[in-house]
């Protein structure tokens, strides 16, 4: 069940939670990720969905948050990482088709692993709890079907 | 950069550091969780949600207002069919690719450039939803 132990997972999760907490306690903002796509697209698309006042208002800090995520992972890679820089070997068509569904689905669902999974669950939201159960269950089924079809990596 | 964005940047750095530390930025580790070979990832989500739970329900109530002004609003969205249908679609994408929005963005910092394709596709997917939603 836990071939690599639980420590790196738990410690990493706690550090991530402290990051989300720091943003919330200082600004009241929820450091969630999938809205970043929508708010960033408000610079490029005049369509009603993207031009909502909320998206315009949030687009700057959401770019800052995404930049922070990249810098944080870079700092880990340059310091504690046992392997240093790293590249996935998961096939590109999987990253692309999967990414398309992730982008569409998270906006449809108004949240992702961070929005529903961290901030939503921590807020005691039953809506987010149902979303987490559904996306995790479906992802487990999907990953196992892909594996059964012999698609690897 | 204003004070608010400085704190968002610092929080984001911790968030990204934690995601990389936990292995969430590696699609192979996420997939091994989803294939139920290594359940450790439950502790990433659990650890992050538990810390944030204490923050929202205990520390924020003690502080009353955010340190830089504004107000505390827990993230509780109304239930709708869309939340569930969207979660199904997201689940298929996550299970196929091992990428979710936060971990994919952070993964760039580990030098994982193929994920740029996944991120470009996420923008296209988010655009498609926005396009459909604008027509309703």
């Amino acid at each position: 069940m836990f071939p690599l132990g639980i420590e790196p997972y738990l410690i990493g999760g706690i550090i991530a939670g402290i990051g989300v907490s720091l943003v919330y306690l200082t600004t009241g903002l929820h450091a969630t990720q999938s809205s970043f796509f929508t708010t960033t697209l408000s610079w490029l698309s005049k369509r009603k969905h993207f031009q909502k006042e909320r998206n315009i208002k949030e687009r700057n800090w959401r770019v800052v948050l995404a930049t922070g995520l990249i810098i944080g992972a870079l700092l880990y890679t340059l310091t504690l990482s046992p392997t240093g820089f790293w590249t996935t070997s998961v096939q590109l068509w999987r990253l692309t088709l999967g990414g398309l569904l992730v982008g569409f689905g998270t906006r449809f669902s108004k949240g992702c692993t961070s929005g529903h999974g961290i901030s939503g669950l921590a807020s005691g939201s039953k809506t987010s709890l149902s979303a987490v159960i559904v996306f995790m269950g479906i992802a487990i089924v999907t990953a196992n079907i892909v594996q059964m079809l012999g698609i690897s990596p | 950069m204003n004070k608010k964005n400085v704190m968002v940047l610092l929080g984001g750095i911790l968030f990204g550091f934690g995601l990389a530390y936990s292995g969430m930025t590696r699609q192979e580790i996420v997939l091994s969780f989803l294939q139920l070979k290594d359940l450790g990832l439950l502790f990433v989500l659990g650890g992050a949600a538990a810390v944030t739970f204490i923050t929202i329900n205990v520390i924020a109530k003690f502080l009353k207002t955010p340190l830089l002004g504004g107000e505390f609003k827990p993230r509780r969205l109304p239930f709708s069919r869309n939340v569930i249908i969207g979660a199904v679609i997201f689940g298929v994408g996550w299970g196929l690719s091992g990428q979710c929005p936060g971990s994919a963005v952070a993964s760039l910092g580990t030098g994982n450039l193929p994920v740029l394709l996944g991120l470009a596709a996420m923008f296209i997917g988010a655009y498609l939803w926005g396009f459909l939603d604008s027509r309703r």
Side-chain angles (χ1 to χ4, degrees):
Chain A
M1 289 243 287
F2 303 106
L4 305 175
I6 63 163
E7 231 181 273
Y9 294 117
L10 186 61
I11 294 173
I14 289 173
I15 298 172
I18 293 173
V20 174
S21 297
L22 180 67
V23 174
Y24 188 68
L25 292 175
T26 52
T27 67
L29 302 170
H30 291 283
T32 61
Q33 199 53 40
S34 68
S35 298
F36 162 70
F37 303 120
T38 305
T39 59
T40 302
L41 285 166
S42 74
W43 273 298
L44 301 172
S45 169
K46 293 270 169 274
R47 289 187 189 275
K48 189 167 82 185
H49 174 87
F50 301 103
Q51 293 302 319
K52 285 178 193 157
E53 195 189 332
R54 197 178 150 199
N55 292 330
I56 310 287
K57 216 172 118 188
E58 294 187 355
R59 62 189 184 185
N60 285 322
W61 73 259
R62 288 197 178 276
V63 171
V64 174
L65 178 69
T67 309
L69 286 177
I70 297 173
I71 296 174
L74 176 66
L75 287 176
Y76 170 77
T77 307
L78 296 175
T79 55
L80 302 182
S81 169
T83 52
F85 287 110
W86 170 90
T87 302
T88 185
S89 42
V90 172
Q91 296 172 59
L92 297 181
W93 73 267
R94 290 178 70 177
L95 300 179
T96 311
L97 182 58
L100 197 64
L101 296 169
V102 168
F104 188 85
T106 53
R107 298 324 299 140
F108 200 150
S109 179
K110 297 192 170 68
C112 59
T113 342
S114 56
H116 286 312
I118 302 176
S119 299
L121 290 185
S123 299
S125 161
K126 285 187 189 131
T127 301
S128 287
L129 178 63
S130 0
V132 172
I133 291 171
V134 170
F135 69 62
M136 203 171 268
I138 297 284
I140 288 171
V141 171
T142 306
N144 280 284
I145 292 176
V146 170
Q147 191 186 21
M148 274 191 291
L149 293 173
I151 298 167
S152 177
Chain B
M1 196 153 50
N2 62 33
K3 278 187 198 157
K4 189 179 97 173
N5 281 341
V6 171
M7 296 319 291
V8 170
L9 184 67
L10 288 176
I13 289 173
L14 282 167
F15 193 177
F17 191 95
L19 287 178
Y21 191 104
S22 69
M24 273 294 278
T25 50
R26 296 183 178 227
Q27 288 69 45
E28 280 83 342
I29 291 187
V30 175
L31 289 172
S32 81
F33 162 68
L34 295 173
Q35 291 160 353
L36 306 178
K37 290 176 188 157
D38 179 353
L39 302 188
L41 231 64
L42 284 177
F43 287 89
V44 183
L45 190 58
V51 169
T52 310
F53 182 87
I54 296 169
T55 297
I56 293 178
N57 297 286
V58 182
I59 307 176
K61 295 217 163 113
F62 177 75
L63 286 178
K64 293 194 175 72
T65 55
L67 297 171
L68 296 175
E71 58 174 325
F72 286 127
K73 268 184 262 168
R75 191 178 193 276
R76 289 198 198 98
L77 302 176
F79 187 82
S80 70
R81 212 177 47 175
N82 282 6
V83 170
I84 300 303
I85 302 171
V88 170
I89 299 169
F90 168 37
V92 175
W94 194 28
L96 181 62
S97 67
Q99 304 165 116
C100 59
S103 74
V105 170
S107 198
L108 287 178
T110 69
N112 186 13
L113 294 181
V115 103
L116 279 172
L117 265 182
L119 279 168
M122 286 181 207
F123 272 107
I124 295 171
Y127 179 77
L128 288 175
W129 167 247
F131 177 83
L132 292 178
D133 191 48
S134 301
R135 288 162 56 112
R136 286 193 307 176

